[in-house]
């Protein structure tokens, strides 16, 4: 059997354009699975997407004070996000300019007095400037230029509504442009409290044995898997409802997932610009979600339509390539960190309006853990499917995944529901279940991979 | 045997039996080792060395405050319909260092250390940490678990965990 090779010729470029086939006449689309299994492509993704464009880093609430830091990676590069003396958030490669040892070694912490490297004690201020090194007068001539040894900055660090993004590549658009009207969805979170949103104490992180795109595609618009993969969750919701009615359990009421995508609920998946997607749909029982307690206040402050989106709708955005902001069965940040072609780290952080009452907070936490903890009743089943997709993707004799569901129902241009709340750049969309979101994500991926490859080839020439 | 030694043995045997019920998939018997108003709490880590301290308002790995929830969970992972739990892994729980930290009235609090070796899909996964059990003496004289706290040290897990790993 002939196994398909990636490159068109010896050392020639990868034909990324061939990875998605979308037949406009038959309304059928398919995606090449080798995108999930090729280590060569993974390396390119790290260079072109994760180290070459905007990615999510962390939340402002994780670095609230001067000197507070948060360590993570951008692609394969260790980085640290830190708040400087002026209160601005900076980002640096987490590598000393001397021999490259890491400067920050915990997930979070505080370095208000600057970075002191533990290896040879070079000291840097919070803007990355080298301030001191031991025995400098002995080791170097007097005119030694310390500035050559400043820390390497992350080229761009900007935030919107508390969500901090960075790009190692300086030649990118502003964050505002990158996000487009997704900012409206972020604002709908922050507008739930006058003091903004916080990240609740405690993390949940796991590593599934599969490619990162499997999760991005799933959370970016796979509205088909709920009744199958999550059938036991649906049953548990029903069993819990029965027990709650009998007064037999103290657990929080869950969102009635079985009614989530009923035929008569209003809902849609949208493909936005730059590979982002947005899912919105009516919650069957919004009164059981914590935000609903403020519904009337939101109506007064933000109008009827926006208030309805804020309290009574699933709002889930996948901000390409590594962040989900989700306000649906629970409210959370889901952060995606590719480790290798078949390993992906996922962190779940529960988010909540600051100053929320204890009663609502308790409900919020239970709803979060019910689905999204590493031992939740939902997330584990998704992760296991990703792992099995990864196994199946090696069946190279069947090289394509199908992504055609609902393509004949696709609408283009603007959508009246999204326009209601100022989301105008939802250029393509379809009813929940429509797989066009995956297709658009991959088309964006192709664009980025082609651009990255072109840039790299012109540099090597 | 002094009363103290007898209690120590009784508590140890009880905790070993709990582990055995899980490892032998005797789910109904396992469930019945808990009181109806039990709490089961696996806190999550806030940072490298600190755990969350309030299951109601902070993030946990698992928090259940009624036996019904454990019952639903058991239904879920034995149903064969949850992809994550089909097939179930083979599990082997080792519990040691059992120490009674408090005994008053009809309640005994015990701490212990645990490790579990689990195996599925030709892959071994190891978990470990410590337990706190609060056992409450029932009318028939037997213990039941009214509170169990599970601390999991290696919390960045492959894919997921469920109560049968812990
Ligand atoms: S490696 Fe940092 S001072 Fe030498
Ligand atoms: Fe899912």
């Amino acid at each position: 059997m002939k196994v398909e090779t990636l490159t068109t010729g010896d050392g020639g470029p990868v034909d990324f354009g061939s990875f998605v086939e979308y037949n406009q006449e038959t309304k059928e689309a398919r995606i090449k699975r080798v995108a999930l299994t090729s280590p060569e492509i993974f390396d390119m993704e790290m260079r072109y997407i994760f180290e070459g464009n905007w990615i999510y880093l962390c939340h402002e609430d994780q670095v609230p004070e001067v000197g507070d830091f948060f360590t993570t990676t951008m692609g394969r590069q260790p980085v640290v996000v830190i708040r400087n003396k002026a209160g601005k958030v900076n980002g640096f490669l987490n590598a000393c300019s001397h021999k490259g040892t890491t400067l920050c070694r915990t997930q979070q912490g505080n370095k208000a007095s600057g970075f002191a490297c533990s290896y040879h004690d070079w000291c840097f201020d919070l803007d990355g400037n080298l301030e001191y090194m031991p025995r400098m007068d002995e080791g170097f001539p007097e005119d030694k230029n310390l500035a050559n040894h400043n820390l390497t900055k992350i080229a761009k660090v900007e935030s919107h509504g508390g969500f901090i993004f960075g790009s190692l590549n300086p030649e990118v658009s502003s964050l505002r442009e990158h996000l487009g009207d997704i900012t409206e969805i972020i604002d709908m979170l922050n507008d739930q409290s006058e003091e903004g949103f916080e990240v609740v104490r405690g993390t949940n992180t796991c590593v599934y044995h599969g490619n990162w795109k499997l999760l991005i595609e799933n959370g970016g618009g796979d509205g088909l898997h709920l009744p199958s993969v999550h059938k036991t969750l649906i049953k548990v919701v029903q069993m819990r409802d029965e027990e709650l009615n009998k007064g037999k359990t103290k657990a929080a009421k869950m969102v009635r997932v079985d009614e989530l995508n009923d035929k008569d609920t209003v809902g849609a998946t949208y493909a936005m610009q730059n590979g982002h997607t947005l899912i919105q749909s009516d919650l069957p029982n919004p009164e059981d979600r914590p935000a609903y307690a403020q519904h009337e206040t939101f109506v007064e402050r933000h109008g009827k339509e926006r208030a309805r989106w804020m309290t009574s709708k699933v709002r889930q955005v996948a901000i390409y390539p590594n962040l989900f902001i989700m306000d649906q069965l629970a409210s959370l940040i889901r952060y995606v960190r590719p480790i290798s072609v078949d390993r992906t780290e996922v962190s779940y952080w529960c988010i909540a309006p600051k100053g929320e009452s204890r009663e609502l907070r308790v409900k919020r936490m239970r709803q979060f853990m019910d689905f999204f903890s590493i031992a939740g009743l939902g997330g584990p089943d998704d992760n296991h499917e990703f792992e099995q997709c990864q196994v199946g993707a090696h069946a190279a004799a069947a090289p394509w995944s199908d992504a055609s569901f609902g393509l004949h129902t696709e609408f283009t241009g603007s959508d009246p529901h999204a326009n209601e709340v100022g989301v105008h750049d939802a250029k393509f969309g379809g009813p929940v279940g429509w797989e066009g979101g995956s297709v658009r994500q991959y088309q964006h991926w192709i664009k980025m991979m082609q651009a990255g490859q072109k840039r790299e080839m012109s540099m090597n020439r | 045997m002094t009363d103290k030694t007898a209690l120590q043995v009784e508590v140890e045997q009880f905790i070993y039996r709990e582990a055995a019920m899980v490892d032998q998939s005797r789910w109904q018997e396992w469930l019945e080792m808990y009181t109806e108003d039990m709490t089961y709490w696996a806190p999550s880590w806030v940072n490298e060395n600190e755990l969350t301290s309030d299951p109601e308002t902070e993030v946990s790995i698992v928090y259940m405050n009624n036996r019904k929830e454990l019952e639903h969970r058991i239904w879920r992972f034995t149903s064969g319909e949850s992809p994550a739990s089909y097939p179930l892994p083979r599990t082997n729980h080792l519990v040691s260092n059992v120490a009674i930290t408090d005994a008053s009235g009809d309640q005994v609090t015990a701490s212990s250390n645990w490790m579990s070796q689990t195996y599925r899909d030709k892959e071994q996964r190891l978990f470990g940490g410590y337990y706190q059990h609060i056992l409450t003496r029932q009318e028939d004289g037997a213990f039941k678990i009214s509170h169990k706290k599970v601390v999991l040290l290696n919390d960045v897990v492959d894919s997921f965990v469920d109560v049968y790993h812990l």
Side-chain angles (χ1 to χ4, degrees):
Chain A
M1 187 189 66
K2 188 176 161 288
V3 176
E4 196 172 356
T5 50
L6 281 178
T7 48
T8 48
D10 259 357
V14 178
D15 180 12
F16 286 111
S18 72
F19 276 66
V20 173
E21 283 182 3
Y22 186 175
N23 185 327
Q24 299 283 351
E25 255 153 51
T26 60
K27 297 292 174 197
E28 283 178 312
R30 52 186 201 165
I31 299 162
K32 257 189 207 167
R33 289 181 185 153
V34 69
L36 304 172
T37 56
S38 158
E40 188 186 351
I41 289 184
F42 180 81
D43 279 354
M44 294 166 112
E45 288 172 340
M46 293 302 101
R47 299 200 299 276
Y48 308 156
I49 300 176
F50 286 82
E51 298 166 12
N53 213 309
W54 286 111
I55 63 168
Y56 175 67
L57 296 174
C58 66
H59 193 275
E60 297 249 11
D61 189 49
Q62 291 169 318
V63 287
E65 308 290 336
V66 169
D68 280 353
F69 70 80
F70 184 93
T71 53
T72 183
T73 55
M74 297 179 78
R76 291 152 304 186
Q77 308 196 29
V79 300
V80 53
V81 178
I82 189 159
R83 195 176 290 276
N84 77 3
K85 288 249 163 6
K88 186 187 168 297
V89 175
N90 281 327
F92 302 100
L93 297 187
N94 190 7
C96 179
S97 53
H98 183 209
K99 303 269 186 220
T101 191
T102 55
L103 295 159
C104 295
R105 298 177 180 183
T106 51
Q107 175 71 78
Q108 281 171 268
N110 185 280
K111 298 250 181 219
S113 51
F115 305 90
C117 180
S118 58
Y119 201 178
H120 313 94
D121 208 22
W122 287 20
C123 294
F124 307 86
D125 68 17
L126 294 183
D127 294 306
N129 302 313
L130 178 62
E131 280 188 314
Y132 164 83
M133 62 171 80
R135 301 173 59 188
M136 193 175 127
D137 46 343
E138 293 168 57
F140 298 95
E142 242 169 57
D143 56 354
K144 162 82 176 159
N145 183 1
L146 284 182
N148 291 340
H149 296 287
N150 292 344
L151 295 180
T152 304
K153 270 197 170 173
I154 299 174
K156 295 253 183 176
V157 177
E158 290 176 25
S159 73
H160 182 92
F163 295 86
I164 304 170
F165 294 77
S167 169
L168 289 171
N169 173 6
E171 271 139 41
V172 289
S173 61
S174 70
L175 178 65
R176 185 70 187 72
E177 269 173 72
H178 173 70
L179 294 175
D181 292 341
I182 290 277
T183 53
E184 295 291 341
I185 308 297
I186 296 178
D187 296 347
M188 278 187 239
L189 266 187
N190 288 313
D191 288 346
Q192 293 177 25
S193 159
E194 280 175 358
E195 300 149 74
F197 253 62
E198 67 188 354
V199 178
V200 183
R201 260 165 64 95
T203 57
N204 264 285
T205 300
C206 62
V207 176
Y208 72 81
H209 296 195
N211 189 268
W212 64 278
K213 295 190 292 301
L214 289 161
L215 172 55
I216 299 299
E217 185 183 349
N218 167 280
D222 185 332
L224 293 173
H225 75 286
L226 189 72
S228 40
V229 170
H230 298 304
K231 63 160 85 76
T232 59
L233 171 77
I234 290 170
K235 186 77 199 292
V236 169
V237 171
Q238 290 162 346
M239 293 196 294
R240 189 180 290 181
D241 269 355
E242 278 166 34
E243 298 301 330
L244 281 165
N245 290 342
K246 286 190 253 164
K248 282 247 170 94
T249 171
K250 290 179 269 181
K253 229 172 147 74
M254 297 156 104
V255 169
R256 286 201 299 271
V257 270
D258 51 337
E259 293 169 33
L260 201 53
N261 298 332
D262 272 5
K263 274 195 225 75
D264 38 57
T265 50
V266 174
T269 303
Y270 308 104
M272 318 277 289
Q273 56 165 357
N274 297 323
H276 313 318
T277 59
L278 162 65
I279 304 170
Q280 61 93 355
S281 74
D282 290 344
L283 286 167
N285 49 332
E287 65 283 2
D288 292 318
R289 291 281 292 131
Y292 198 81
Q294 294 189 81
H295 185 79
E296 291 311 318
T297 318
F298 295 165
V299 171
E300 267 165 47
R301 268 192 219 147
H302 307 288
K304 228 172 104 199
E305 289 315 328
R306 207 171 171 87
R308 201 165 65 85
W309 273 62
M310 286 165 71
T311 67
S312 308
K313 268 193 185 292
V314 164
R315 283 165 285 118
Q316 172 157 330
V317 289
I319 301 182
Y320 207 79
N322 70 337
L323 169 67
F324 292 94
I325 304 174
M326 305 157 80
D327 200 0
Q328 28 117 305
L329 315 185
S331 314
L332 66 147
I333 292 171
R334 185 162 64 175
Y335 172 53
V336 184
R337 217 170 59 79
I339 294 170
S340 63
V341 68
D342 58 1
R343 290 281 185 287
T344 305
E345 185 181 280
V346 191
S347 294
Y348 312 88
W349 279 292
C350 183
I351 50 176
K354 284 187 187 162
E356 186 171 52
S357 75
R358 183 180 166 95
E359 188 195 346
L360 292 177
R361 184 61 60 93
V362 169
K363 191 194 260 190
R364 179 180 299 272
M365 297 321 296
R366 291 306 297 273
Q367 291 178 338
F368 170 76
M369 286 176 285
D370 277 338
F371 193 100
F372 288 103
S373 91
I374 55 174
L377 306 173
D381 289 327
D382 287 312
N383 286 356
H384 194 65
E385 285 310 319
F386 306 155
E387 299 192 327
Q388 296 301 317
C389 284
Q390 189 70 22
V391 175
H394 285 278
W400 296 97
S401 281
D402 191 77
S404 312
F405 189 93
L407 291 186
H408 66 292
T409 62
E410 178 167 292
F411 52 80
T412 56
S414 66
D415 170 59
H417 294 293
N419 287 343
E420 264 168 17
V421 287
V423 174
H424 302 294
D425 63 2
K427 295 200 191 89
F428 302 95
V432 175
W434 164 76
E435 290 186 306
S438 312
V439 178
R440 307 293 163 187
Q441 269 185 349
Y442 267 99
Q443 286 175 336
H444 177 70
W445 176 85
I446 289 173
K447 227 170 89 187
M448 295 193 79
M449 296 302 276
Q450 286 174 331
Q453 182 166 256
K454 199 167 150 205
R455 195 169 63 225
E456 213 163 69
M457 285 174 66
S458 70
M459 273 164 21
N460 292 343
R461 205 167 284 145
Chain B
M1 213 162 30
T2 65
D3 283 359
K4 237 178 145 180
T5 320
L7 184 64
Q8 172 74 24
V9 171
E10 189 186 2
V11 167
E12 278 175 12
Q13 291 302 315
F14 183 90
I15 292 172
Y16 297 159
R17 185 175 129 85
E18 194 207 354
M21 292 305 101
V22 173
D23 293 341
Q24 295 168 21
S25 309
R26 290 159 68 179
W27 306 116
Q28 189 57 35
E29 288 164 87
W30 181 47
L31 182 68
E32 280 164 15
M33 293 182 82
Y34 287 83
T35 63
E36 276 185 27
D37 62 352
M38 60 79 131
T39 49
Y40 180 111
W41 180 37
S44 79
W45 291 92
V46 178
N47 56 38
E48 283 71 11
N49 301 103
E50 190 187 350
L51 289 160
T52 50
S53 53
D54 182 353
E56 298 278 343
T57 61
E58 295 177 329
V59 173
S60 304
I61 295 170
V62 185
Y63 179 54
M64 299 182 275
N65 60 358
N66 190 285
R67 196 173 77 183
K68 277 285 165 205
E69 287 180 77
L70 180 57
E71 189 181 323
H72 296 163
R73 215 173 241 277
I74 291 173
W75 170 80
R76 186 180 116 81
F77 67 65
T78 56
S79 68
E81 307 221 42
S82 161
S85 293
Y86 181 77
L88 281 168
R90 302 165 191 161
T91 69
N92 185 29
H93 284 77
L94 306 180
V95 187
S96 77
N97 306 22
V98 178
I100 294 174
T101 55
D102 189 54
S104 50
D106 57 357
Q107 285 204 330
V108 178
T109 307
S111 65
S112 57
N113 293 52
W114 64 277
M115 279 202 85
S116 72
Q117 174 215 8
T118 74
Y119 187 77
R120 182 176 79 164
D121 293 340
K122 299 178 186 169
E123 247 181 78
Q124 172 163 265
R125 294 168 66 190
L126 296 174
F127 301 93
Y130 43 95
Y131 294 140
Q132 185 191 56
H133 283 85
I134 299 179
L135 308 179
T136 305
R137 184 91 60 195
Q138 305 298 296
E139 269 169 22
D140 64 357
F143 277 136
K144 282 200 179 198
I145 304 165
S146 47
H147 174 71
K148 182 176 179 182
K149 179 178 169 185
V150 181
V151 172
L152 171 67
L153 299 193
N154 46 329
D155 70 322
V156 179
V157 297
D158 281 340
S159 195
F160 73 98
V161 281
D162 211 323
V163 286
Y164 49 76
H165 293 114
L166 302 178

